[in-house]
Amino acid sequence: MSATASPVLQTILAERFREARRQTLALCEPLTPEDMMVQSCPEASPAKWHLAHTTWFFESFLLREFVPGYRLFNADFPWLFNSYYESFSPFPEKRLRSSFARPSLEEVLAYRKHVDAAMERLLERDPDPEALRRIELGANHEEQHQELLLTDILHAFFTNPLKPKYRDQGSGVRDQKDRDEGPGTRGQNNGERGSALPMIFERFEGGLREAGHAGDSFCFDNELPRHRVWLEPFGLANRLVTCGEYAQFMADGGYRKPEFWLSAGWDAVKSNSWRAPLYWTEKDGGWRIFTLRGEQPLERLESTPVSQISYYEADAYAHWAGQRLPTEFEWEAAVEGQPVEGNLLDSGNLTPVSTELLQNQNTTKWGDCWVWTCSAYLGYPGFKPLNGSLGEYNGKFMSGQMVLRGGSCVTPAAHIRSSYRNFFSPETRWQFSGIRLAS
Ligand SMILES: [Fe+2]
C-alpha cells in the first residue's frame, strides 16, 4: 500500500467505481440500440455517447497516466469521445454526436470492458493517492452522466411521435415498493391526483455563516474554498411549486405579461414561443405532461412539482407569486445537517412525485427537481481549478450560468451533498429543474 492511501479507502473507492459502471449499464437496459443513437436537441447527447465518454474519462485521466504500457482500445477514441477538454485534444462538434453510427454499440460496450479490466488491474496494484482521487472523480463524473443520460432520453422520447415510456408505472430502476414501510412513506408514486401540502415559509435567522465544502471527503473544485457569507433573515418554502400552481400562473397570463419577466427572459419567451414548461402539450383543451413514465393529464399531476422550466420561468413565477428565488447560500444554510433523503434516482420514481407524500415527513430540501437559485455561478473567493486538463471540468463555465441546488428524481443520492453546485445557462429547460420560493 502507499503510505497515504488506506486499504479501507481503496476498497471503498473500488466499489464506488464498480457501482457507477454497473449503474450506467443498468439505466440503458430499457433502451434499444436505436434509442441510444438519438440526439434530439443540441444540448443532449446519445446514450451510446454517454457510455463511451464516461469510459474515455477513465482511459484518459487514469489509465494513460498511471498504467505504464497501457494499450489504447482504439487510437481514435481519445479525441472522438473527448467532450470539451481543449487542452487534452481536439474534439468533434457536440451537435454531431448523433452521427456516430460507428463505432457500433457492440464496439462501445467492448471499449467499456477493455477499460474496466485495465481499471481492475490498476486497483489491484496499489494506486498512488492521485490516482485514487481521480478514480473518485471519475465515478462522480459517471454519476453526472447517468443523470444526463436520463434527461436526454426523456427529451428523445418526448420528440418521438409515439411518445414511448422509458419505464412503465410500477417498475423502478431499484423498485421502491420492495422497501416501502407502509402508507405515508416516500415511496413510488404514480402522480395520482392529490392535494398539495400547504406552502409554508420556514424562517431562518441569517447572520455570518460558512458556505462551501468542509472536511476531507470528496467534492468538486467549484465547492471550495469554504468561506464566510452574510445572510439576512430569510424564509424558504417547505416544498416545491406544483404543476397546479404553475398552471394558475399560466392561466393568469404568465406567458403573455412582460411585467413578470426579466428582459432576457421575455426575449426568450418571444423568440422561443414559450407558453408552458418544456414537456407540457395542449390537447383537447387541456394540458398533458410527458414524463419518463409516459404522458399524463395535468389533472393527475397537479400536486407534483413543476419541472423542466428555465431560470427565467422560475423567476417570472416567483415575481407573479410576490416572492423570489433563494440564493444558493440560503439554500445551503437551510439544509445544513439534513441527511440527503428525498425523491432521488435511488427511489426509482424517475419523475417528481406528489407533495402529499410529504404530509407525514419532515420537510426535505432534496430531490424531485433541482431548484434554480438567483445566484450566478462564480468561483468562490480563492477558487483554484484542478491542475492540468481536469481544470477545465468546472471552472471555465463560470460565466453566464445560474446555480441550481438539491438534486432531482434522476440524481443518484450518493452523488450530492449540501455544498453541491449544479449550473446551467438561464434559458435551459431540458433538466429536471423547478422552483422553491424564498421570502
Ligand atoms: Fe463528461
Side-chain angles (χ1 to χ4, degrees):
M1 273 313 298
S2 12
T4 48
S6 77
V8 175
L9 175 66
Q10 194 168 325
T11 306
I12 291 170
L13 287 181
E15 198 36 53
R16 188 158 170 80
F17 163 76
R18 292 182 195 119
E19 174 58 23
R21 301 292 283 168
R22 267 196 301 268
Q23 176 73 316
T24 308
L25 291 177
L27 293 175
C28 290
E29 273 170 24
L31 304 178
T32 67
E34 293 82 3
D35 295 335
M36 294 172 71
M37 278 302 300
V38 180
Q39 180 178 21
S40 51
C41 62
E43 308 93 295
S45 301
K48 191 172 88 176
W49 183 88
H50 287 298
L51 286 175
H53 166 72
T54 47
T55 305
W56 166 90
F57 192 95
F58 289 108
E59 182 175 73
S60 301
F61 297 124
L62 265 301
L63 300 177
R64 292 180 70 178
E65 285 193 43
F66 294 96
V67 178
Y70 169 72
R71 180 179 58 82
L72 285 175
F73 178 79
N74 181 313
D76 283 324
F77 285 12
W79 63 267
L80 189 64
F81 292 116
N82 178 7
S83 51
Y84 57 64
Y85 296 83
E86 303 275 359
S87 60
F88 182 82
S89 71
F91 47 84
E93 248 187 278
K94 180 171 182 178
R95 65 183 178 85
L96 299 179
R97 287 174 189 166
S98 63
S99 67
F100 291 11
R102 309 294 173 89
S104 67
L105 177 59
E106 252 176 37
E107 204 175 345
V108 166
L109 293 174
Y111 178 40
R112 284 184 75 88
K113 280 191 178 157
H114 173 89
V115 165
D116 285 351
M119 285 293 297
E120 288 296 338
R121 290 195 295 276
L122 173 64
L123 283 161
E124 278 166 16
R125 275 187 14 199
D126 181 18
D128 78 36
E130 177 57 20
L132 287 173
R133 274 192 286 277
R134 295 207 195 166
I135 291 168
E136 194 163 26
L137 180 64
N140 278 273
H141 171 255
E142 183 133 359
E143 287 165 352
Q144 289 181 320
H145 279 275
Q146 288 164 6
E147 172 152 6
L148 289 169
L149 190 153
L150 289 171
T151 51
D152 295 353
I153 278 295
L154 176 58
H155 194 276
F157 284 4
F158 173 70
T159 58
N160 186 313
L162 293 174
K163 296 275 190 289
K165 297 175 184 177
Y166 170 77
R167 293 264 189 195
D168 274 324
Q169 304 291 344
S171 63
V173 169
R174 191 180 302 163
D175 209 319
Q176 179 77 18
K177 71 179 184 297
D178 299 335
R179 296 186 286 125
D180 271 0
E181 290 158 8
T185 59
R186 191 170 243 281
Q188 187 138 2
N189 178 270
N190 294 340
E192 297 293 342
R193 181 199 291 267
S195 56
L197 180 72
M199 188 180 289
I200 295 164
F201 286 83
E202 292 177 67
R203 302 301 306 171
F204 295 88
E205 281 183 7
L208 190 63
R209 302 188 61 96
E210 291 200 337
H213 184 69
D216 297 330
S217 57
F218 175 83
C219 72
F220 285 106
D221 55 6
N222 62 8
E223 297 167 58
L224 292 171
R226 192 163 168 85
H227 62 289
R228 288 171 299 172
V229 294
W230 178 261
L231 298 181
E232 297 299 328
F234 67 97
L236 191 64
N238 59 332
R239 62 162 173 80
L240 302 174
V241 168
T242 63
C243 291
E245 289 162 341
Y246 198 82
Q248 290 171 22
F249 162 68
M250 288 161 54
D252 195 30
Y255 284 90
R256 297 192 305 274
K257 297 180 181 172
E259 59 264 37
F260 302 137
W261 296 81
L262 292 166
S263 173
W266 187 242
D267 286 346
V269 168
K270 288 185 293 180
S271 60
N272 298 300
S273 304
W274 286 346
R275 299 175 55 231
L278 179 57
Y279 297 134
W280 291 34
T281 310
E282 203 166 21
K283 203 171 178 183
D284 304 326
W287 290 99
R288 297 181 66 79
I289 302 174
F290 189 71
T291 75
L292 283 169
R293 293 182 178 278
E295 196 173 60
Q296 296 197 51
L298 167 63
E299 292 70 37
R300 287 188 68 190
L301 300 181
E302 267 176 353
S303 62
T304 66
V306 67
S307 187
Q308 271 81 30
I309 55 164
S310 64
Y311 172 77
Y312 295 134
E313 289 160 296
D315 181 80
Y317 178 90
H319 194 109
W320 171 79
Q323 307 292 350
R324 64 177 176 85
L325 301 179
T327 69
E328 63 168 320
F329 302 121
E330 288 171 339
W331 185 91
E332 191 169 325
V335 300
E336 194 163 62
Q338 267 196 14
V340 182
E341 288 174 355
N343 182 25
L344 296 147
L345 178 65
D346 313 58
S347 73
N349 289 313
L350 298 171
T351 189
V353 297
S354 173
T355 56
E356 73 179 328
L357 286 181
L358 286 168
Q359 292 280 9
N360 299 322
Q361 302 266 322
N362 292 326
T363 305
T364 178
K365 306 288 188 303
W366 302 99
D368 282 321
C369 303
W370 292 95
V371 295
W372 284 108
T373 74
C374 60
S375 299
Y377 176 54
L378 297 170
Y380 289 163
F383 166 68
K384 280 197 189 73
L386 295 174
N387 292 327
S389 292
L390 285 170
E392 295 186 48
Y393 198 121
N394 287 309
K396 70 180 184 180
F397 300 110
M398 289 172 173
S399 160
Q401 315 228 24
M402 304 304 287
V403 174
L404 300 97
R405 295 289 199 128
S408 81
C409 55
V410 292
T411 309
H415 182 67
I416 50 174
R417 59 206 147 259
S418 60
S419 58
Y420 192 97
R421 309 171 80 198
N422 198 353
F423 54 90
F424 281 102
S425 59
E427 71 279 7
T428 304
R429 305 217 296 169
W430 102 111
Q431 289 296 305
F432 284 88
S433 46
I435 310 169
R436 187 182 295 277
L437 294 174
S439 61

